Amino acid sequence: MFPLIREILAMPGDSRELRVRGWIRTKRDMKNLVFVELNDGSCLGGIQCTLDTAAFPESAETLAPLGTGAAVEITGKLVPSPGRGQAVEIAASEVLLAGDAPGEEKDGVPPYPLQKKRHSLEFLRELPHLRGRTNTLGAVMRVRSGLSFAVHRFFQSRGYQYLHTPVITGNDAEGAGALFRVTTLDPRQGGSRAGTGDYDRDFFGRETFLTVSGQLEAEAYAAALSRVYTFGPTFRAENSNTARHLAEFWMIEPETAFFRLPENMALAEDFLKFCLNSALENCREDLEFFDGRIEPGLIDTLQSAAESTFTHITYTDAMAELEKAGGFEYRPSWGCDLQSEHEKFLTEELIKGPVIVTDYPKEIKAFYMKMNGDGRTVRAMDVLVPRLGEIIGGSEREENLAALESRMEELGMDADRYSWYLDLRRYGTVPHAGFGLGFERLVQYVTGMANIRDVIPYPRAAGQLY
Ligand code: 4AD
Ligand code: MG
């Protein structure tokens, strides 16, 4: 395989002959020399290529009309660079055009929209198919890829099996009703209306949705393989148009048999720190870019979070702190969900670092959570981080059949639909716990990117399908 620019930049400038492929970032003419900065996305930096136009007139002619965005293959010698900012450069002897990207309208093709000047992230969002060629989005996607690999390394090295849970499902795992319907019926032909019981004409002969979480299926397999994790796309039809919600996002959900809440909290903390350390080690150049351009102080923050011991606080204590502090738009009171301003206060002012909030009121958490002895709170845990708020949500699960049935009845849930889930409590039930990490929130945390739409290649959010 031919070398990538990342590999070439690490080679010695010993005049070896090589060919480099990529897209022109900038081109400058100086007397008899043309300087081209070529980037192939393998790393942040590009490689500088210089062409002596007098010595290689044919290539000079090829290069002359080209500008930012054009794809070329350049052959030359790798030599020490006299310029600043790079150790080596290519003394080019041949330039071949792969694909032009005209700077001005040409043969009916509008000019390449990503000319040299800086573009706003909002503008780039309108060009999801091209924005990966910018420094910022390129760096985000490399960090994203590196973090994905870290997720697998972490769980695989701890005996967890990677489980592929279904995307199409018949149940609402969170009981929150934020579901996308899956149907082959055409709404223009009458479709099927919720509540009409008309789904027997539909593809599966029943109502189906896109999954909001693989947790329930993961629980089934934790009761078979002991330790499992999912890592896949999940879908929520929440109409929350915020900088940290997507309609389609990726989630990592470990589920562990024989785990109680404290072990689950420790796993979440180890996991998050492992991801941070892995990014600090393996994505250094990109993180330095984010630290310099996007979020000053980022590396220090990540470093200190990775070295810290996460603070634990119960929901009840957190509420008391919030009530004491006061001055919020939403007045905190026991029983209410934590608003982002409350999460901000806890992580950025009270604790100044990641915090795990536990034992929430049962009313604001999902049906499957294990009830505490007080009958009012459940063994839930949310990991909150500065800047973002909730990054992980999880709990110990109710493994007792009678307790789970009565909670489902209380909530008016259809037990028939969940009979397979109740089977897990009928046959060989064990204590177990798990959590879900929103992968895009992790990428946001690690890169400092303010908007979740800029950390996934093709963002899907309410009213926006780019
Ligand atoms: O807290 P959530 O809803 O928990 C669950 O889905 C559980 N089934 C997880 C489990 O115990 N196995 O979601 C988990 C995480 C959140 O903490 C958040 O990071 C992320 O998923 N998340 C979203 N990320 C982007 N866009 C959205 N709309 C999100 N909703 C949740
Ligand atoms: Mg949650």
Side-chain angles (χ1 to χ4, degrees):
M1 251 198 314
F2 63 87
L4 291 166
I5 290 174
R6 176 168 50 82
E7 293 153 351
I8 294 175
L9 289 173
M11 293 174 183
D14 54 6
S15 294
R16 67 180 71 190
E17 183 96 4
L18 44 75
R19 179 175 285 195
V20 56
R21 285 100 167 153
W23 292 266
I24 295 178
R25 274 296 173 78
T26 56
K27 198 187 80 177
R28 285 180 296 126
D29 293 273
M30 266 175 67
K31 284 191 214 143
N32 279 344
L33 287 181
V34 185
F35 295 89
V36 171
E37 157 120 350
L38 211 60
N39 185 286
D40 67 359
S42 61
C43 58
L44 189 66
I47 189 154
Q48 174 165 290
C49 306
T50 54
L51 183 79
D52 182 331
T53 51
F56 306 103
E58 225 172 281
S59 290
E61 208 172 299
T62 305
L63 198 52
L66 304 183
T68 305
V72 291
E73 300 189 24
I74 297 180
T75 306
K77 287 188 165 61
L78 190 67
V79 295
S81 175
R84 295 207 315 165
Q86 71 256 335
V88 289
E89 64 178 44
I90 289 176
S93 50
E94 186 189 53
V95 177
L96 297 174
L97 174 64
D100 196 4
E104 275 151 38
E105 181 170 331
K106 190 175 152 191
D107 307 328
V109 176
Y112 179 57
L114 301 180
Q115 300 298 327
K116 181 67 179 118
K117 68 176 164 63
R118 282 183 81 163
H119 304 285
S120 72
L121 291 166
E122 290 77 14
F123 171 78
L124 293 175
R125 246 171 255 153
E126 306 289 328
L127 300 168
H129 58 303
L130 295 176
R131 67 177 182 164
R133 300 187 198 183
T134 62
N135 279 339
T136 306
L137 269 291
V140 166
M141 296 313 155
R142 280 188 299 274
V143 171
R144 190 179 162 106
S145 169
L147 284 170
S148 305
F149 191 41
V151 166
H152 288 294
R153 279 207 317 274
F154 177 83
F155 287 112
Q156 295 283 337
S157 70
R158 280 162 182 76
Y160 282 75
Q161 310 289 340
Y162 180 27
L163 184 74
H164 295 114
T165 48
V167 167
I168 300 176
T169 175
N171 47 53
D172 178 356
E174 289 301 299
L179 299 163
F180 283 104
R181 201 169 288 285
V182 173
T183 177
T184 51
L185 298 176
D186 185 345
R188 285 168 302 191
Q189 313 279 313
S192 55
R193 272 163 290 129
T196 61
D198 197 18
Y199 291 100
D200 40 356
R201 285 194 301 123
D202 208 344
F203 190 87
F204 295 102
R206 55 174 291 193
E207 220 179 347
T208 44
F209 313 98
L210 293 179
T211 187
V212 294
S213 155
Q215 179 195 317
L216 305 193
E217 291 86 355
E219 282 184 61
Y221 270 84
L225 307 178
S226 288
R227 299 177 194 175
V228 297
Y229 69 104
T230 73
F231 185 1
T234 48
F235 307 85
R236 298 205 182 168
E238 301 165 299
N239 221 338
S240 26
N241 205 349
T242 78
R244 43 177 219 151
H245 286 89
L246 287 168
E248 176 177 319
F249 63 100
W250 286 62
M251 187 154 50
I252 295 125
E253 296 185 274
E255 192 69 31
T256 320
F258 301 100
F259 254 25
R260 304 257 188 209
L261 193 64
E263 291 117 309
N264 202 41
M265 291 161 71
L267 183 73
E269 180 171 344
D270 285 353
F271 173 45
L272 204 51
K273 289 184 191 169
F274 182 91
C275 292
L276 301 185
N277 279 321
S278 155
L280 286 164
E281 235 167 80
N282 306 316
C283 309
R284 196 72 194 191
E285 188 191 27
D286 290 322
L287 291 197
E288 276 162 11
F289 169 80
F290 291 116
D291 195 311
R293 296 286 187 85
I294 302 285
E295 176 70 27
L298 176 76
I299 291 183
D300 282 348
T301 318
L302 297 179
Q303 196 91 50
S304 74
E307 286 161 8
S308 71
T309 302
F310 292 6
T311 302
H312 299 174
I313 188 171
T314 64
Y315 168 91
T316 302
D317 289 348
M319 264 305 157
E321 292 288 351
L322 290 164
E323 282 168 10
K324 204 164 73 189
F328 298 106
E329 189 183 333
Y330 292 89
R331 204 174 63 79
S333 82
W334 202 96
C336 297
D337 219 342
L338 293 179
Q339 302 295 322
S340 25
E341 55 176 339
H342 305 148
E343 296 179 343
K344 213 173 166 58
F345 172 81
L346 294 173
T347 54
E348 294 174 15
E349 289 180 46
L350 186 70
I351 286 145
K352 299 191 169 63
V355 51
I356 312 186
V357 183
T358 62
D359 304 288
Y360 285 72
K362 64 177 182 187
E363 287 78 13
I364 56 171
K365 288 294 179 187
F367 71 96
Y368 50 70
M369 295 192 182
K370 176 92 183 156
M371 192 77 71
N372 275 318
D374 61 9
R376 304 171 72 205
T377 60
V378 288
R379 287 185 202 161
M381 49 167 263
D382 277 7
V383 182
L384 316 179
V385 295
R387 265 200 342 259
L388 269 184
E390 180 188 341
I391 194 166
I392 287 178
S395 74
E396 190 175 325
R397 321 303 189 191
E398 185 55 78
E399 87 279 17
N400 180 282
L401 178 64
L404 184 57
E405 279 177 331
S406 96
R407 182 71 185 130
M408 287 171 67
E409 203 185 312
E410 224 170 79
L411 292 167
M413 293 171 67
D414 178 2
D416 284 348
R417 231 192 218 188
Y418 294 87
S419 70
W420 69 268
Y421 187 66
L422 293 167
D423 265 358
L424 303 174
R425 278 74 183 165
R426 291 185 183 106
Y427 311 118
T429 190
V430 291
H432 60 290
F435 60 82
L437 167 81
F439 187 57
E440 284 71 24
R441 298 223 180 139
L442 174 68
V443 181
Q444 270 191 288
Y445 185 48
V446 169
T447 59
M449 295 295 288
N451 195 310
I452 198 166
R453 292 173 177 79
D454 300 326
V455 299
I456 185 167
Y458 289 86
R460 272 88 179 85
Q464 290 165 321
L465 188 77
Y466 296 103

